[in-house]
Amino acid sequence: MTSSLLAAERWSTLRRMADDAIGREPALAPWLTESILTHDELGAALAFRVSHMLNIDPVQREALTVRLATLQQSRPAIAMQAWADLEATVSRDPAFDSMLEVFLFSKGFLAIQAYRMAHPLWLDGHRMLALYIQARCNEALGVDIHPASRIGQGIMFDHGTGIVIGETAVIEDDVSILQSVTLGGTGKECGDRHPKVRRGVMIGAGAKILGNIEIGEGAKVGAGSVVLKPVAPHTTVVGNPARPVGTPRHDQPALVMDQSFDQD
């Protein structure tokens, strides 16, 4: 099955879920219809959701919806990445039972999608609009992602509140990040100054990873850790300052969300 057919099939499934939800709770019919059923595909629905999350003023909201919908049409890869994020959240976060719940209620998912629209705007030179999306996402959701950062797909932000991702940070595919995590710099230095998080990494709640350092593939950063030095692949680190304490039980900790650790 081609990616476009798969996306169409997934969207049909999401629409059926919305119809079923209306049958169970008619009071939500206007919201579900406006958010999902009036749209032909995920990209248009995300443009609507993100715009309405970002804006209070109705005129500005509608202008932004049109702008982001046009962006989605010209960049179909954005929606494909969103599907990967949606599935990642369903599979890793036990708080949500379905794609519909993630789409409607996961602010971590919504914050990632706001970034996914701000990032190409930044690359295309639309700096002011990209920074506007970043700032409003921070105000509305408490998630601050610089639009110049580079984030792969299959990403899950659990809860999302308090996550900060700096300008030159890199997050590869299949990474899970919990609330209050910072991928930051170490001061006023310029240039490449933020962490590089490789595939399959899980970063626990409240962890601070500072500077242009690499968190190796399949590593695990314990909750509350302060990481100032590179972390080797498939290594668990904890503490302030963080120190290696063992090896994750799984090759890609992000996929299983096992936050325990065994000390060597």
Side-chain angles (χ1 to χ4, degrees):
M1 183 181 294
T2 66
S3 58
S4 59
L5 287 175
L6 182 59
E9 183 178 282
R10 288 168 172 165
W11 183 243
S12 294
T13 299
L14 197 60
R15 287 175 58 90
R16 285 196 298 272
M17 290 179 176
D19 276 326
D20 290 343
I22 289 173
R24 294 191 301 273
E25 186 50 76
L28 294 179
W31 182 49
L32 289 167
T33 299
E34 186 179 47
S35 299
I36 295 176
L37 297 178
T38 58
H39 305 289
D40 294 329
E41 42 85 29
L42 179 66
L46 284 173
F48 177 87
R49 288 279 292 127
V50 168
S51 299
H52 281 64
M53 176 272 295
L54 294 178
N55 288 284
I56 298 173
D57 178 74
V59 175
Q60 179 61 54
R61 186 170 60 219
E62 294 311 311
L64 189 60
T65 298
V66 172
R67 183 70 173 87
L68 296 183
T70 301
L71 176 69
Q72 288 275 359
Q73 290 173 356
S74 67
R75 304 286 183 99
I78 297 175
M80 297 310 298
Q81 292 169 332
W83 281 120
D85 300 335
L86 195 62
E87 292 179 343
T89 305
V90 172
S91 66
R92 299 177 211 166
D93 190 344
F96 297 112
D97 289 336
S98 67
M99 289 192 300
L100 179 65
E101 290 185 0
V102 173
F103 180 86
L104 294 173
F105 304 121
S106 171
K107 75 174 186 177
F109 170 77
L110 194 57
I112 296 170
Q113 305 324 308
Y115 155 81
R116 295 209 182 283
M117 293 180 233
H119 182 63
L121 291 169
W122 178 273
L123 295 179
D124 290 346
H126 302 289
R127 179 184 177 96
M128 191 67 69
L129 181 54
L131 291 174
Y132 174 81
I133 292 173
Q134 176 195 3
R136 287 295 301 141
C137 186
N138 190 10
E139 292 173 24
L141 300 178
V143 181
D144 190 356
I145 310 172
H146 196 285
S149 61
R150 291 177 286 159
I151 301 179
Q153 64 182 23
I155 307 299
M156 196 267 285
F157 287 175
D158 192 355
H159 299 291
T161 303
I163 290 176
V164 177
I165 298 173
E167 179 183 11
T168 60
V170 174
I171 300 173
E172 294 187 348
D173 295 347
D174 302 323
V175 168
S176 293
I177 297 178
L178 281 83
Q179 69 271 19
S180 299
V181 164
T182 296
L183 303 183
T186 56
K188 294 179 66 176
E189 74 274 18
C190 298
D192 196 353
R193 60 195 185 278
H194 295 102
K196 311 297 180 279
V197 179
R198 303 307 179 193
R199 188 183 189 114
V201 169
M202 188 187 78
I203 305 175
K208 313 302 177 190
I209 304 175
L210 305 177
N212 184 14
I213 58 175
E214 181 167 314
I215 310 301
E217 180 174 350
K220 180 160 62 172
V221 178
S225 299
V226 178
V227 185
L228 303 174
K229 296 180 179 180
V231 176
H234 307 292
T235 300
T236 299
V237 297
V238 300
N240 179 8
R243 67 193 188 283
V245 295
T247 301
R249 298 171 183 174
H250 306 277
D251 202 42
Q252 294 197 23
L255 304 186
V256 294
M257 297 298 293
D258 180 3
Q259 298 184 58
S260 60
F261 64 90
D262 300 316
Q263 297 193 40
D264 290 338

